[in-house]
Coordinates of all heavy atoms in Angstrom, one line a residue:
H632 N 66.7 163.2 35.0 CA 67.3 163.5 36.3 C 66.8 162.6 37.4 O 65.8 162.0 37.2 CB 66.8 165.0 36.7 CG 67.7 166.0 36.1 ND1 67.5 166.6 34.9 CD2 68.9 166.5 36.5 CE1 68.4 167.5 34.6 NE2 69.3 167.4 35.6
L633 N 67.6 162.5 38.4 CA 67.3 161.7 39.5 C 66.4 162.4 40.5 O 66.6 163.6 40.8 CB 68.6 161.2 40.2 CG 69.4 160.2 39.5 CD1 70.7 160.0 40.2 CD2 68.7 158.9 39.4
K634 N 65.5 161.6 41.1 CA 64.6 162.2 42.1 C 65.2 161.7 43.5 O 65.2 162.4 44.4 CB 63.2 161.6 41.8 CG 62.1 162.1 42.8 CD 60.8 161.5 42.3 CE 59.7 161.8 43.1 NZ 58.4 161.2 42.5
R635 N 65.6 160.4 43.5 CA 66.0 159.9 44.8 C 67.1 158.7 44.5 O 66.9 158.0 43.6 CB 64.9 159.2 45.5 CG 65.2 158.5 46.8 CD 63.9 157.9 47.5 NE 64.2 157.0 48.5 CZ 64.6 155.8 48.4 NH1 64.5 155.2 47.3 NH2 64.8 155.1 49.5
V636 N 68.1 158.6 45.4 CA 69.1 157.7 45.3 C 69.3 157.1 46.7 O 69.4 157.8 47.6 CB 70.5 158.1 44.8 CG1 71.5 157.1 44.9 CG2 70.3 158.8 43.4
F637 N 69.3 155.7 46.8 CA 69.5 155.1 48.1 C 70.7 154.1 47.9 O 70.6 153.2 47.0 CB 68.2 154.3 48.6 CG 68.5 153.5 49.8 CD1 68.5 154.1 51.1 CD2 68.7 152.1 49.8 CE1 68.8 153.4 52.2 CE2 68.9 151.4 50.9 CZ 68.9 152.0 52.1
V638 N 71.7 154.2 48.7 CA 72.9 153.4 48.6 C 73.0 152.6 49.9 O 72.9 153.2 51.0 CB 74.1 154.3 48.3 CG1 75.4 153.3 48.2 CG2 74.0 155.1 47.1
T639 N 73.3 151.3 49.8 CA 73.5 150.5 50.9 C 74.7 149.6 50.7 O 74.9 149.0 49.6 CB 72.3 149.7 51.4 OG1 72.5 149.1 52.7 CG2 71.9 148.7 50.4
F640 N 75.5 149.4 51.7 CA 76.7 148.5 51.6 C 77.2 148.1 53.0 O 76.8 148.7 54.0 CB 77.8 149.2 50.8 CG 78.2 150.5 51.4 CD1 79.2 150.5 52.4 CD2 77.7 151.7 51.0 CE1 79.7 151.7 52.9 CE2 78.0 152.9 51.5 CZ 79.0 153.0 52.6
R641 N 78.0 147.0 53.0 CA 78.6 146.6 54.2 C 80.0 147.2 54.2 O 80.8 147.1 53.2 CB 78.7 145.0 54.1 CG 79.4 144.4 55.3 CD 79.5 142.9 55.1 NE 80.3 142.4 56.3 CZ 80.1 141.1 56.7 NH1 79.3 140.3 56.1 NH2 80.8 140.7 57.7
P642 N 80.3 147.8 55.3 CA 81.7 148.4 55.4 C 82.8 147.4 55.3 O 82.6 146.3 55.8 CB 81.7 149.1 56.8 CG 80.6 148.4 57.6 CD 79.6 147.9 56.6
G643 N 83.8 147.8 54.5 CA 84.9 146.9 54.4 C 84.8 145.9 53.2 O 85.7 145.2 52.9
D644 N 83.6 145.8 52.7 CA 83.4 144.9 51.6 C 84.1 145.4 50.3 O 83.6 146.4 49.8 CB 81.9 144.7 51.4 CG 81.6 143.6 50.4 OD1 82.6 143.1 49.7 OD2 80.4 143.3 50.1
P645 N 85.1 144.7 49.8 CA 85.7 145.2 48.6 C 84.8 145.2 47.4 O 85.1 145.9 46.4 CB 86.9 144.2 48.4 CG 86.6 143.0 49.2 CD 85.7 143.5 50.3
R646 N 83.7 144.4 47.4 CA 82.9 144.4 46.3 C 81.9 145.5 46.3 O 81.0 145.7 45.4 CB 82.1 143.0 46.2 CG 83.0 141.9 45.8 CD 82.4 140.6 46.1 NE 82.4 140.4 47.5 CZ 82.0 139.2 48.0 NH1 81.6 138.2 47.3 NH2 82.0 139.0 49.3
A647 N 81.9 146.4 47.4 CA 81.1 147.5 47.5 C 81.8 148.8 47.1 O 81.2 149.9 47.3 CB 80.5 147.6 48.9
T648 N 82.9 148.7 46.5 CA 83.7 150.0 46.2 C 82.9 150.9 45.3 O 82.9 152.1 45.6 CB 85.0 149.5 45.5 OG1 85.8 148.7 46.4 CG2 85.8 150.8 45.2
S649 N 82.2 150.4 44.3 CA 81.6 151.3 43.4 C 80.3 151.9 44.1 O 80.0 153.1 43.8 CB 81.1 150.6 42.1 OG 80.3 149.4 42.5
A650 N 79.7 151.2 45.1 CA 78.6 151.8 45.8 C 79.2 153.0 46.7 O 78.5 154.1 46.7 CB 77.9 150.8 46.7
R651 N 80.3 152.8 47.3 CA 80.8 153.8 48.2 C 81.3 155.0 47.3 O 81.1 156.2 47.7 CB 82.0 153.3 49.0 CG 81.6 152.4 50.0 CD 82.7 152.0 51.0 NE 83.8 151.4 50.4 CZ 84.0 150.1 50.1 NH1 83.1 149.2 50.6 NH2 85.1 149.6 49.6
E652 N 81.9 154.7 46.2 CA 82.4 155.8 45.3 C 81.2 156.6 44.7 O 81.3 157.8 44.6 CB 83.2 155.2 44.1 CG 84.6 154.8 44.5 CD 85.4 154.2 43.3 OE1 85.0 154.5 42.2 OE2 86.4 153.6 43.6
L653 N 80.1 155.9 44.3 CA 78.9 156.6 43.9 C 78.4 157.5 45.0 O 78.0 158.7 44.7 CB 77.9 155.7 43.4 CG 76.6 156.4 42.8 CD1 77.0 157.0 41.5 CD2 75.6 155.4 42.6
L654 N 78.3 157.0 46.1 CA 77.8 157.9 47.3 C 78.7 159.1 47.5 O 78.2 160.2 47.6 CB 77.7 157.1 48.6 CG 77.3 157.8 49.8 CD1 75.9 158.2 49.7 CD2 77.4 156.8 51.0
Q655 N 80.0 158.9 47.4 CA 80.9 160.1 47.5 C 80.6 161.1 46.4 O 80.6 162.3 46.6 CB 82.3 159.6 47.5 CG 83.3 160.7 47.8 CD 84.7 160.2 47.8 OE1 85.0 159.0 47.5 NE2 85.7 160.9 48.3
R656 N 80.5 160.6 45.2 CA 80.4 161.5 44.1 C 79.0 162.2 44.2 O 78.9 163.4 43.8 CB 80.4 160.7 42.8 CG 81.8 160.3 42.4 CD 81.9 159.7 41.1 NE 83.1 159.1 40.9 CZ 83.5 158.6 39.7 NH1 82.8 158.6 38.6 NH2 84.8 158.0 39.7
L657 N 78.0 161.5 44.5 CA 76.6 162.2 44.5 C 76.5 163.1 45.7 O 75.6 164.1 45.7 CB 75.5 161.1 44.6 CG 75.4 160.3 43.4 CD1 74.3 159.2 43.7 CD2 75.0 161.1 42.2
N658 N 77.4 163.0 46.7 CA 77.4 163.9 47.8 C 78.3 165.1 47.6 O 78.3 166.0 48.4 CB 77.7 163.1 49.1 CG 77.3 163.8 50.4 OD1 76.2 164.4 50.4 ND2 78.0 163.7 51.4
G659 N 79.0 165.1 46.5 CA 79.8 166.2 46.1 C 79.1 167.5 45.7 O 78.0 167.4 45.2
D660 N 79.8 168.6 45.7 CA 79.2 169.9 45.3 C 78.7 169.9 43.8 O 77.7 170.4 43.5 CB 80.3 171.0 45.4 CG 80.5 171.3 47.0 OD1 79.7 171.0 47.8 OD2 81.6 171.9 47.2
R661 N 79.5 169.3 43.0 CA 79.2 169.2 41.5 C 77.9 168.6 41.3 O 77.0 169.0 40.6 CB 80.3 168.5 40.7 CG 80.1 168.5 39.2 CD 81.2 167.9 38.5 NE 80.9 167.6 37.2 CZ 81.4 166.6 36.5 NH1 82.4 165.9 37.0 NH2 81.0 166.4 35.3
A662 N 77.7 167.4 41.9 CA 76.4 166.6 41.7 C 75.3 167.4 42.3 O 74.2 167.5 41.8 CB 76.5 165.3 42.3
K663 N 75.5 168.0 43.5 CA 74.4 168.8 44.1 C 74.0 170.0 43.3 O 72.8 170.3 43.3 CB 74.9 169.2 45.6 CG 74.9 168.0 46.5 CD 75.4 168.5 47.9 CE 75.4 167.3 48.9 NZ 75.9 167.8 50.2
R664 N 75.0 170.6 42.7 CA 74.6 171.7 41.8 C 73.9 171.3 40.6 O 72.9 172.0 40.2 CB 75.9 172.5 41.4 CG 76.5 173.5 42.5 CD 77.5 174.4 41.8 NE 78.6 173.7 41.2 CZ 79.7 173.3 41.8 NH1 79.9 173.4 43.0 NH2 80.5 172.6 41.0
S665 N 74.2 170.2 40.0 CA 73.6 169.8 38.8 C 72.2 169.2 39.0 O 71.3 169.1 38.1 CB 74.5 168.7 38.0 OG 74.5 167.5 38.7
N666 N 71.9 168.7 40.2 CA 70.6 168.1 40.5 C 70.3 168.4 42.0 O 70.2 167.5 42.8 CB 70.6 166.6 40.3 CG 69.3 165.9 40.1 OD1 68.3 166.6 40.2 ND2 69.3 164.7 39.9
P667 N 70.0 169.6 42.3 CA 69.8 170.0 43.7 C 68.5 169.4 44.4 O 68.5 169.3 45.6 CB 69.6 171.5 43.7 CG 69.2 171.8 42.2 CD 69.7 170.7 41.4
N668 N 67.6 168.9 43.6 CA 66.4 168.3 44.2 C 66.5 166.8 44.5 O 65.5 166.2 45.0 CB 65.2 168.6 43.4 CG 64.9 170.1 43.3 OD1 65.1 170.8 44.3 ND2 64.5 170.6 42.2
C669 N 67.6 166.2 44.1 CA 67.7 164.8 44.4 C 68.0 164.5 45.8 O 68.9 165.1 46.5 CB 68.9 164.3 43.5 SG 69.2 162.5 43.7
K670 N 67.2 163.6 46.3 CA 67.2 163.1 47.7 C 68.2 161.9 47.7 O 68.1 160.9 47.1 CB 65.9 162.8 48.2 CG 65.9 162.4 49.7 CD 64.5 162.1 50.1 CE 64.5 161.8 51.6 NZ 63.1 161.5 52.1
L671 N 69.3 162.1 48.5 CA 70.4 161.2 48.6 C 70.3 160.4 50.0 O 70.4 161.2 51.0 CB 71.7 161.7 48.4 CG 73.0 160.8 48.6 CD1 72.9 159.7 47.6 CD2 74.2 161.6 48.4
E672 N 70.1 159.2 50.1 CA 70.0 158.5 51.3 C 71.0 157.2 51.3 O 71.3 156.7 50.2 CB 68.7 157.9 51.6 CG 67.6 159.0 51.6 CD 66.2 158.4 51.6 OE1 65.9 157.4 50.9 OE2 65.3 158.9 52.4
F673 N 71.5 156.8 52.4 CA 72.4 155.7 52.4 C 72.3 154.9 53.7 O 71.8 155.4 54.7 CB 73.8 156.1 52.2 CG 74.4 156.9 53.3 CD1 75.2 156.3 54.3 CD2 74.3 158.2 53.4 CE1 75.7 157.0 55.4 CE2 74.8 159.0 54.4 CZ 75.5 158.4 55.4
Q674 N 72.7 153.7 53.7 CA 72.7 152.9 54.9 C 74.0 152.0 54.9 O 74.3 151.3 53.9 CB 71.5 151.9 54.9 CG 71.5 150.9 56.1 CD 70.3 150.0 56.1 OE1 69.7 149.9 55.1 NE2 70.1 149.4 57.2
V675 N 74.8 152.2 55.9 CA 76.0 151.3 56.1 C 75.5 150.2 57.1 O 75.1 150.4 58.2 CB 77.1 152.1 56.7 CG1 78.3 151.3 57.0 CG2 77.4 153.3 55.9
D676 N 75.5 149.0 56.5 CA 74.9 147.8 57.2 C 75.9 146.8 57.5 O 76.3 146.0 56.7 CB 73.8 147.2 56.4 CG 72.9 146.2 57.0 OD1 73.3 145.8 58.2 OD2 72.0 145.8 56.4
D677 N 76.4 146.7 58.8 CA 77.3 145.8 59.3 C 76.9 144.3 59.1 O 77.7 143.4 59.0 CB 77.7 146.0 60.7 CG 78.5 147.3 60.9 OD1 79.4 147.6 60.1 OD2 78.3 148.0 61.9
S678 N 75.6 144.1 59.1 CA 75.0 142.8 59.1 C 74.7 142.3 57.7 O 74.3 141.2 57.5 CB 73.8 142.7 60.0 OG 72.8 143.4 59.5
A679 N 74.8 143.2 56.7 CA 74.5 142.8 55.4 C 75.5 141.7 54.8 O 76.6 141.7 55.2 CB 74.6 144.0 54.5
P680 N 75.0 140.8 54.0 CA 75.9 139.8 53.4 C 77.0 140.5 52.5 O 76.6 141.4 51.8 CB 75.0 138.9 52.6 CG 73.6 139.2 53.0 CD 73.6 140.6 53.5
A681 N 78.1 140.0 52.5 CA 79.2 140.5 51.6 C 78.8 140.4 50.2 O 78.1 139.4 49.8 CB 80.5 139.8 51.9
G682 N 79.1 141.4 49.4 CA 78.8 141.3 48.0 C 77.3 141.6 47.6 O 77.0 141.4 46.5
Q683 N 76.6 142.1 48.6 CA 75.2 142.4 48.3 C 74.9 143.9 48.3 O 73.7 144.4 48.5 CB 74.3 141.7 49.3 CG 74.3 140.3 49.2 CD 73.9 139.7 47.8 OE1 72.9 140.0 47.3 NE2 74.8 138.9 47.2
A684 N 75.9 144.8 48.1 CA 75.7 146.3 48.0 C 74.8 146.5 46.8 O 74.9 145.9 45.8 CB 77.0 147.0 47.9
Y685 N 74.0 147.5 47.0 CA 73.1 148.0 45.9 C 72.8 149.4 46.0 O 73.0 150.1 46.9 CB 71.9 147.1 45.8 CG 70.9 147.3 46.9 CD1 69.9 148.4 46.9 CD2 70.9 146.4 48.0 CE1 69.1 148.5 48.0 CE2 70.0 146.6 49.1 CZ 69.0 147.6 49.1 OH 68.2 147.8 50.1
V686 N 72.4 149.9 44.8 CA 71.9 151.3 44.7 C 70.5 151.2 44.1 O 70.2 150.6 43.1 CB 72.8 152.0 43.7 CG1 72.3 153.5 43.4 CG2 74.3 152.0 44.2
D687 N 69.5 152.0 44.7 CA 68.2 152.1 44.3 C 68.1 153.5 43.6 O 68.5 154.5 44.3 CB 67.2 152.0 45.3 CG 66.9 150.6 45.7 OD1 67.0 149.7 44.9 OD2 66.4 150.4 46.8
L688 N 67.7 153.6 42.4 CA 67.5 154.8 41.6 C 66.1 155.1 41.3 O 65.4 154.2 40.9 CB 68.3 154.8 40.3 CG 69.8 154.4 40.3 CD1 70.3 154.2 39.0 CD2 70.6 155.5 41.1
E689 N 65.7 156.3 41.6 CA 64.3 156.7 41.3 C 64.5 158.0 40.5 O 65.1 159.0 40.9 CB 63.4 157.0 42.5 CG 62.0 157.3 42.1 CD 61.1 157.5 43.3 OE1 61.5 157.1 44.4 OE2 59.9 158.0 43.0
F690 N 64.0 157.9 39.2 CA 64.1 159.1 38.3 C 62.9 160.0 38.4 O 61.9 159.6 38.9 CB 64.2 158.6 36.9 CG 65.6 157.8 36.7 CD1 65.6 156.5 37.0 CD2 66.7 158.5 36.3 CE1 66.7 155.7 36.8 CE2 67.9 157.7 36.1 CZ 67.9 156.3 36.3
T691 N 63.0 161.2 37.8 CA 61.9 162.1 37.9 C 60.6 161.7 37.2 O 59.5 162.1 37.5 CB 62.2 163.6 37.5 OG1 62.8 163.4 36.1 CG2 63.3 164.1 38.4
D692 N 60.8 160.7 36.3 CA 59.7 160.2 35.5 C 59.1 159.0 36.3 O 58.3 158.2 35.8 CB 60.0 159.8 34.1 CG 61.0 158.7 34.0 OD1 61.5 158.2 35.0 OD2 61.3 158.3 32.9
N693 N 59.6 158.8 37.6 CA 59.1 157.7 38.4 C 59.6 156.3 38.0 O 59.2 155.3 38.6 CB 57.6 157.7 38.7 CG 57.2 158.9 39.5 OD1 57.8 159.3 40.4 ND2 56.0 159.4 39.0
D694 N 60.5 156.2 37.0 CA 61.2 155.0 36.7 C 62.1 154.6 37.9 O 62.8 155.4 38.4 CB 62.0 155.1 35.4 CG 62.7 153.8 35.0 OD1 62.2 152.7 35.3 OD2 63.7 153.9 34.3
K695 N 62.1 153.3 38.3 CA 62.9 152.9 39.4 C 63.7 151.7 39.0 O 63.3 150.8 38.2 CB 62.0 152.4 40.6 CG 61.2 153.5 41.1 CD 60.3 153.0 42.2 CE 59.4 154.2 42.8 NZ 58.5 153.8 43.9
R696 N 65.0 151.7 39.4 CA 65.9 150.7 39.1 C 66.8 150.4 40.3 O 67.2 151.2 41.0 CB 66.9 151.1 37.9 CG 66.0 151.3 36.7 CD 67.0 151.7 35.6 NE 66.3 152.1 34.5 CZ 66.8 152.5 33.3 NH1 68.1 152.4 33.1 NH2 66.0 152.9 32.3
R697 N 67.1 149.1 40.5 CA 68.0 148.6 41.5 C 69.2 148.0 40.9 O 69.1 147.2 39.9 CB 67.4 147.5 42.5 CG 68.4 147.0 43.4 CD 67.8 146.2 44.6 NE 67.1 147.1 45.5 CZ 66.4 146.7 46.5 NH1 66.3 145.5 46.9 NH2 65.9 147.6 47.3
I698 N 70.4 148.5 41.2 CA 71.6 148.0 40.7 C 72.4 147.3 41.8 O 72.8 148.0 42.7 CB 72.4 149.2 40.0 CG1 71.6 149.8 39.0 CG2 73.7 148.7 39.5 CD1 72.2 151.1 38.4
L699 N 72.7 146.1 41.6 CA 73.6 145.4 42.5 C 75.1 145.8 42.0 O 75.4 145.7 40.8 CB 73.5 143.9 42.3 CG 72.2 143.3 42.8 CD1 72.1 141.8 42.5 CD2 71.9 143.7 44.2
T700 N 75.9 146.2 42.9 CA 77.1 146.9 42.5 C 78.3 146.0 42.5 O 79.4 146.4 41.9 CB 77.4 148.1 43.5 OG1 77.7 147.6 44.8 CG2 76.3 149.1 43.5
A701 N 78.3 144.8 43.0 CA 79.4 143.9 42.9 C 79.7 143.6 41.4 O 78.8 143.4 40.6 CB 79.1 142.6 43.6
G702 N 81.0 143.7 41.1 CA 81.3 143.5 39.8 C 81.2 144.7 38.8 O 81.4 144.6 37.6
R703 N 80.7 145.8 39.2 CA 80.4 147.0 38.5 C 81.3 148.1 38.9 O 81.6 148.3 40.1 CB 79.0 147.5 38.5 CG 78.0 146.5 38.0 CD 76.6 147.1 38.1 NE 75.6 146.1 37.7 CZ 75.0 146.1 36.6 NH1 75.3 147.0 35.7 NH2 74.1 145.2 36.3
T704 N 81.7 148.9 37.9 CA 82.5 150.1 38.3 C 81.5 151.3 38.6 O 80.3 151.2 38.2 CB 83.4 150.5 37.2 OG1 82.6 151.0 36.0 CG2 84.3 149.4 36.8
V705 N 82.0 152.3 39.1 CA 81.1 153.5 39.4 C 80.8 154.1 38.0 O 79.6 154.6 37.8 CB 81.8 154.5 40.3 CG1 82.9 155.2 39.7 CG2 80.8 155.6 40.8
G706 N 81.6 154.0 37.0 CA 81.3 154.4 35.6 C 80.1 153.7 35.1 O 79.2 154.2 34.3
D707 N 80.0 152.3 35.3 CA 78.9 151.5 34.9 C 77.6 152.1 35.4 O 76.6 152.2 34.8 CB 79.1 150.0 35.3 CG 80.2 149.3 34.7 OD1 80.6 149.7 33.6 OD2 80.7 148.4 35.3
I708 N 77.6 152.4 36.7 CA 76.4 152.9 37.4 C 76.0 154.3 36.9 O 74.9 154.5 36.6 CB 76.6 152.9 38.9 CG1 76.9 151.5 39.5 CG2 75.3 153.5 39.6 CD1 77.4 151.4 40.8
E709 N 77.1 155.1 36.7 CA 76.7 156.4 36.1 C 76.2 156.4 34.7 O 75.3 157.2 34.4 CB 78.0 157.3 36.2 CG 78.5 157.7 37.5 CD 79.8 158.5 37.5 OE1 80.6 158.3 36.7 OE2 79.8 159.3 38.4
R710 N 76.5 155.4 33.9 CA 75.9 155.2 32.6 C 74.5 154.9 32.7 O 73.6 155.4 31.8 CB 76.7 154.3 31.8 CG 78.0 154.8 31.2 CD 78.7 153.9 30.2 NE 79.3 152.8 30.9 CZ 80.5 152.8 31.5 NH1 81.1 154.0 31.6 NH2 81.1 151.8 32.0
V711 N 74.0 154.2 33.7 CA 72.6 154.0 33.8 C 71.9 155.2 34.3 O 70.8 155.5 33.8 CB 72.4 152.9 35.0 CG1 71.0 152.7 35.3 CG2 73.0 151.5 34.5
I712 N 72.6 156.1 35.0 CA 71.9 157.3 35.5 C 71.8 158.3 34.3 O 70.8 159.0 34.2 CB 72.8 158.0 36.7 CG1 72.7 157.0 37.9 CG2 72.3 159.4 36.9 CD1 73.7 157.5 39.0
E713 N 72.7 158.4 33.4 CA 72.7 159.3 32.3 C 71.6 158.8 31.4 O 70.9 159.5 30.7 CB 74.0 159.2 31.5 CG 75.1 159.8 32.4 CD 76.5 159.6 31.7 OE1 76.6 158.9 30.7 OE2 77.5 160.2 32.2

């Protein structure tokens, strides 16, 4: 299970689509019910370089991973979470 998720992206960046979709999914009722203790944080950064969106994942076993989302689908990211 996830302990913490941090998502950051530049608004309007087409390479950040999967980051935005993941944020939307994790903020939904289904995700909140399945993992109610997960802390979800995000930053919309107008000054971030295009193509540099990322997701930081922290699992309950304290494993940490950073995923650059450009070129990845939200399904690719979800497979890392599973």
Side-chain angles (χ1 to χ4, degrees):
H632 275 93
L633 288 170
K634 182 176 179 179
R635 179 182 169 271
V636 178
F637 176 77
V638 181
T639 187
F640 57 87
R641 179 181 178 154
D644 182 358
R646 291 170 285 188
T648 301
S649 58
R651 291 189 301 270
E652 287 181 15
L653 182 69
L654 178 62
Q655 184 177 11
R656 289 184 189 191
L657 292 177
N658 203 34
D660 290 338
R661 182 176 165 208
K663 288 180 180 180
R664 280 193 307 270
S665 70
N666 198 0
N668 295 323
C669 180
K670 184 175 182 181
L671 179 60
E672 301 171 320
F673 68 94
Q674 178 182 13
V675 178
D676 188 352
D677 291 319
S678 64
Q683 296 299 309
Y685 64 86
V686 176
D687 282 338
L688 304 171
E689 184 176 348
F690 296 87
T691 54
D692 65 358
N693 292 320
D694 182 24
K695 296 179 183 179
R696 297 184 190 180
R697 176 168 285 181
I698 301 171
L699 299 177
T700 63
R703 295 181 187 259
T704 67
V705 70
D707 294 336
I708 301 167
E709 287 179 330
R710 281 188 284 284
V711 172
I712 294 170
E713 294 171 353

